């Protein structure tokens, strides 16, 4: 599946993909073709969403379902600002990237998924990157990028993802999506972000560390050898990033 994603992201259309596969002597299953075509059709903005190897993504089913339901909720009381919180490395970015690539999400928001990485960037740099993604060009006037982005997204179904927010953000300033048709998603290690204007429509999820028994089960789910679980050692007590066994 990861190969299908990579090939799709490198080709402009089905004809180019078919030619590449023929020259390389490769073939794709029907499921892999569907995945590759997602990457062929996606807008330039969706290309900024991190790649997620679907066959290697295990666990977090409940969290995936909960975030997806929050994004798809309808009505004036539906979540508008979604905060996915948790310690560094726990999987906030991967979780959100996995959700926004779901077919139902892409169709609801008509492919308008704008992903900007905030970690290590000043806010003004992030504003400019977002504006360029939304408009598919560099804005001529950069004195008020917030207004520019808000006008571009007015009355449009769109998701804006602010990934890796390290500093305290003014969520009201970043609320540039349409309040009825859009969603603002923030992944962050912080727990003190809030909105004065939209607080009743702020939705929060804190990703928790998996219990050791569940982490071991997930880490060995696709291991094709017999492993004695008592011999497995978790790399860190709070963040199971890899395993080793005797």
């Amino acid at each position: 599946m990861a190969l299908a994603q990579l090939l799709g992201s490198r080709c402009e259309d089905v004809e180019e993909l078919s030619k590449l596969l023929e020259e390389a002597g490769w073939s794709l299953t029907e499921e892999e073709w569907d995945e590759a075509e997602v990457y062929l059709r996606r807008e330039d903005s969706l290309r900024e969403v991190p790649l997620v190897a679907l066959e290697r993504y295990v666990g977090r089913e409940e969290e995936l379902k909960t975030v997806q339901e929050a994004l798809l909720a309808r009505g004036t009381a539906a979540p508008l600002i979604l905060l996915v919180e948790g310690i560094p490395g726990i999987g906030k970015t991967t979780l959100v990237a996995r959700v926004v690539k779901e077919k139902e999400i892409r169709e609801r928001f008509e492919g308008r998924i704008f992903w900007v990485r905030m970690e290590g960037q000043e806010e003004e740099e992030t504003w400019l990157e977002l504006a360029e993604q939304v408009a598919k060009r560099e804005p001529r006037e950069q004195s008020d990028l917030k207004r520019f982005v808000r006008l571009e997204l007015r009355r449009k179904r769109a998701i804006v993802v602010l990934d890796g927010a390290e500093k305290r953000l003014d969520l009201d300033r970043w609320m540039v999506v349409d309040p009825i048709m859009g969603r603002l998603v923030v992944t962050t290690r912080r727990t003190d972000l809030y909105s004065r204007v939209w607080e009743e429509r702020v939705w929060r999820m804190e990703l928790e560390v998996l219990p050791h028994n569940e982490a071991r089960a997930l880490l060995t789910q696709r291991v094709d050898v017999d492993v004695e679980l008592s011999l497995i050692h978790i790399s860190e007590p709070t963040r199971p990033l890899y395993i080793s066994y005797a």
Side-chain angles (χ1 to χ4, degrees):
M1 198 68 73
L3 176 62
Q5 294 174 352
L6 178 61
L7 292 174
S9 66
R10 297 296 177 86
C11 298
E12 293 296 327
D13 50 38
V14 173
E15 183 178 351
E16 183 180 352
L17 176 59
S18 299
K19 183 178 180 180
L20 177 61
L21 290 170
E22 182 179 353
E23 291 176 349
W26 296 336
S27 61
L28 297 179
T29 65
E30 183 177 344
E31 184 180 7
E32 288 172 333
W33 263 109
D34 290 343
E35 186 69 16
E37 288 182 350
V38 168
Y39 282 74
L40 288 173
R41 292 194 300 267
R42 65 180 182 168
E43 309 256 349
D44 289 341
S45 58
L46 194 55
R47 292 180 184 273
E48 299 301 324
V49 179
L51 290 174
V52 177
L54 301 183
E55 76 280 6
R56 294 185 179 182
Y57 192 92
V58 293
R60 299 287 191 197
E61 286 86 0
E62 189 62 35
E63 290 89 342
L64 285 167
K65 180 182 177 182
T66 303
V67 175
Q68 184 169 351
E69 288 176 348
L71 287 172
L72 293 173
R74 297 178 181 272
T76 56
L80 178 61
I81 301 174
L82 286 73
L83 303 178
V84 180
E85 305 166 344
I87 63 175
I90 201 169
K92 303 180 296 293
T93 295
T94 303
L95 176 73
V96 174
R98 178 72 176 80
V99 171
V100 299
K101 289 177 181 176
E102 289 289 338
K103 182 179 180 181
E104 193 172 0
I105 298 292
R106 299 194 314 269
E107 290 179 350
R108 167 70 71 82
F109 294 95
E110 301 171 352
R112 298 189 189 95
I113 300 172
F114 306 105
W115 187 292
V116 289
R117 183 71 179 163
M118 298 198 78
E119 189 172 356
Q121 284 202 109
E122 295 297 327
E123 279 201 32
E124 290 309 312
E125 294 177 291
T126 308
W127 274 115
L128 181 57
E129 182 181 344
L130 177 59
E132 290 175 348
Q133 283 191 38
V134 169
K136 299 183 179 62
R137 66 181 188 279
E138 184 174 342
R140 295 180 180 177
E141 179 56 57
Q142 299 183 12
S143 60
D144 193 348
L145 291 173
K146 172 189 172 182
R147 182 175 181 274
F148 175 83
V149 173
R150 180 173 288 176
L151 289 174
E152 289 286 330
L153 296 180
R154 185 172 59 180
R155 297 179 183 175
K156 293 179 181 176
R157 299 184 185 277
I159 297 175
V160 170
V161 180
L162 305 178
D163 182 32
E166 299 175 308
K167 301 176 182 179
R168 188 167 183 173
L169 293 180
D170 182 346
L171 293 179
D172 295 324
R173 181 172 184 242
W174 281 97
M175 233 304 292
V176 292
V177 296
D178 186 278
I180 297 177
M181 306 174 72
R183 297 289 187 272
L184 174 66
V185 182
V186 182
T187 71
T188 180
R189 66 183 68 178
R190 305 186 67 99
T191 59
D192 59 352
L193 301 184
Y194 70 96
S195 166
R196 292 180 297 275
V197 178
W198 303 102
E199 190 58 30
E200 292 184 357
R201 295 183 64 190
V202 173
W203 179 95
R204 298 173 186 271
M205 168 185 280
E206 181 179 359
L207 282 190
E208 298 180 351
V209 177
L210 294 174
H212 277 198
N213 61 336
E214 188 175 344
R216 287 190 178 96
L218 291 175
L219 289 167
T220 58
Q221 183 171 323
R222 301 182 185 278
V223 176
D224 296 325
V225 295
D226 292 329
V227 178
E228 176 59 48
L229 292 182
S230 63
L231 299 178
I232 295 177
H233 306 285
I234 300 296
S235 61
E236 294 183 34
T238 56
R239 282 191 287 165
L241 303 181
Y242 64 87
I243 60 174
S244 62
Y245 60 92

